[in-house]
Amino acid sequence: MPATSRRHLLLGGAAVSAGTLLTACTGNEPKGRAPAGSAAPAADGKPGTPVTIGFAGPQADHGWLNAINENAKRRAATYSDVTLEITEGSNDTAAQIGQVRTLVNKKVDVLVVLPADGKALTQVGLQAMRAGIPVVNLDRIFASPQAYRCWIGGDNYGMGLNAGRFIGEKLKDKPDATVVELAGMDSLELTQQRTRGFDDALKNYPNIRKVARQAADFTVESGQAKMAQLLQAQQKFDALWNHDDDQGVGALRAVAQAGRKDFLMVGGAGARSAMDVIKADDGVLKATVLYPPTMAASAIDLARALGQKKGIGGLSELEIPASITLYSAVVTKENVDAYLPTGFH
């Protein structure tokens, strides 16, 4: 299981060690207040009240999505007091709604849901909450905060921001530097957020211009095709940011076929294959910006503690935060060994 101590959370703008913070969380209504000046009871790894967690995740048709499901299952297996009711992953909205309703009818203690479509599944989240089943909304957010007790997910804007900062610092002394962007799927808000963060970061470096952008589809094939188009259209540029390491496999193939070595590349999400290339340090890929699938393991931690009505260690409040945003760390050859265990296949 990837070490949670290497992840960080942003709460009110402060970075907090996930190993400290994600030990537990409270239920909707604490049974009793802790004495003045003392912390609320915090869950730990010791067996406690049995908790049945319903998990409705995505179809594993992408390396990151498969890692979400695997992280949830492996984390649940570490707890003798947790029973995981896991559905067959689906990207079909109607099918996933039916799966969540089945879990609600089974009266699971807590639900963890990564919706195929957050807006479309909002009503079933509300149904669960009204039935007294706390919902941990994973990554793709419901349209109403009433549909979940806690949201935990990645920082798409932060990915773009940190990718842009890394590239900016590498090119800050180069006059008239140029960059290109291989985005994900433009119909998705997350892609738009990643681009917005990247563009905002580049505003701090007046010597750098973004001269081209192509949107791929988060697949190896589209990554290769779109990267080939970028390389053909741009005979010279200094840096590339690729939103997704899965499509980056194809992008690197296109780079190799074109024989290009004249720029640096930053990937996105944190695939093991990308980290291996970064560690070898013999190609254009020099860094990847994390969007850690270990969030699913943390969601199980949160759900277990919700079911046991425990509190978060390291915080004074009796209740868990309404939202937890994971930090988009930049993995380079200098720190890649620390992050290798979290890389997904």
Side-chain angles (χ1 to χ4, degrees):
M1 185 65 211
T4 57
S5 62
R6 297 191 183 103
R7 301 194 306 280
H8 291 80
L9 308 178
L10 295 182
L11 297 172
V16 183
S17 167
T20 300
L21 186 60
L22 281 186
T23 50
C25 56
T26 63
N28 290 334
E29 298 294 336
K31 287 187 174 180
R33 289 199 170 273
S38 65
D44 53 29
K46 298 176 182 178
T49 305
V51 177
T52 299
I53 299 172
F55 182 85
Q59 182 177 339
D61 57 359
H62 180 279
W64 186 87
L65 294 173
N66 180 67
I68 282 286
N69 294 335
E70 290 303 311
N71 269 276
K73 289 188 285 189
R74 289 173 185 166
R75 189 62 167 177
T78 66
Y79 294 121
S80 62
D81 51 18
V82 167
T83 299
L84 189 67
E85 292 274 355
I86 190 166
T87 66
E88 182 178 350
S90 177
N91 291 332
D92 180 83
T93 297
Q96 195 177 31
I97 288 172
Q99 291 169 349
V100 175
R101 283 179 175 159
T102 297
L103 292 171
V104 171
N105 291 336
K106 286 184 175 181
K107 302 185 186 310
V108 296
D109 298 306
V110 189
L111 270 172
V112 176
V113 182
L114 195 162
D117 183 319
K119 183 177 180 181
L121 266 81
T122 298
Q123 286 301 316
V124 78
L126 288 166
Q127 178 187 344
M129 291 289 287
R130 289 167 183 158
I133 300 174
V135 176
V136 178
N137 180 194
L138 182 58
D139 198 44
R140 299 172 189 167
I141 195 165
F142 292 135
S144 169
Q146 297 185 68
Y148 58 89
R149 170 59 186 84
C150 176
W151 173 86
I152 179 171
D155 185 359
N156 287 293
Y157 178 84
M159 282 184 74
L161 194 68
N162 288 345
R165 285 171 173 167
F166 178 84
I167 288 172
E169 288 302 302
K170 293 294 183 182
L171 301 179
K172 65 182 179 181
D173 297 324
K174 183 177 178 61
D176 301 319
T178 56
V179 300
V180 298
E181 181 181 6
L182 187 65
M185 191 179 297
D186 270 341
S187 62
L188 299 178
E189 184 180 359
L190 66 89
T191 298
Q192 299 162 23
Q193 290 171 342
R194 291 177 187 185
T195 291
R196 187 161 61 250
F198 186 61
D199 290 346
D200 284 352
L202 292 182
K203 290 175 184 177
N204 297 308
Y205 304 93
N207 63 306
I208 301 174
R209 289 182 302 119
K210 185 169 73 173
V211 295
R213 181 183 184 276
Q214 283 279 3
D217 299 314
F218 295 122
T219 68
V220 173
E221 294 75 18
S222 64
Q224 183 170 354
K226 296 298 183 179
M227 190 67 227
Q229 292 176 22
L230 276 175
L231 291 168
Q232 186 174 14
Q234 303 295 324
Q235 294 301 310
K236 181 173 174 50
F237 56 88
D238 299 296
L240 158 73
W241 183 44
N242 162 55
H243 285 206
D244 175 72
D245 286 334
D246 269 18
Q247 70 184 26
V249 172
L252 287 172
R253 287 177 185 170
V255 171
Q257 289 172 356
R260 296 282 292 271
K261 299 179 180 180
D262 56 324
F263 61 91
L264 69 91
M265 174 178 172
V266 176
R272 177 60 187 256
S273 61
M275 293 187 192
D276 286 341
V277 173
I278 291 165
K279 184 177 175 67
D281 194 26
D282 56 3
V284 297
L285 184 61
K286 301 301 181 184
T288 187
V289 185
L290 296 188
Y291 198 84
T294 46
M295 65 178 71
S298 297
I300 295 298
D301 292 339
L302 291 166
R304 173 179 178 259
L306 274 168
Q308 294 179 345
K309 296 181 171 60
K310 298 290 186 178
I312 287 182
L315 289 184
S316 299
E317 292 74 22
L318 296 175
E319 299 81 18
I320 67 169
S323 63
I324 300 173
T325 304
L326 301 183
Y327 182 65
S328 297
V330 180
V331 178
T332 66
K333 66 178 181 180
E334 286 77 21
N335 63 7
V336 66
D337 286 336
Y339 288 100
L340 277 173
T342 72
F344 60 89
H345 295 281

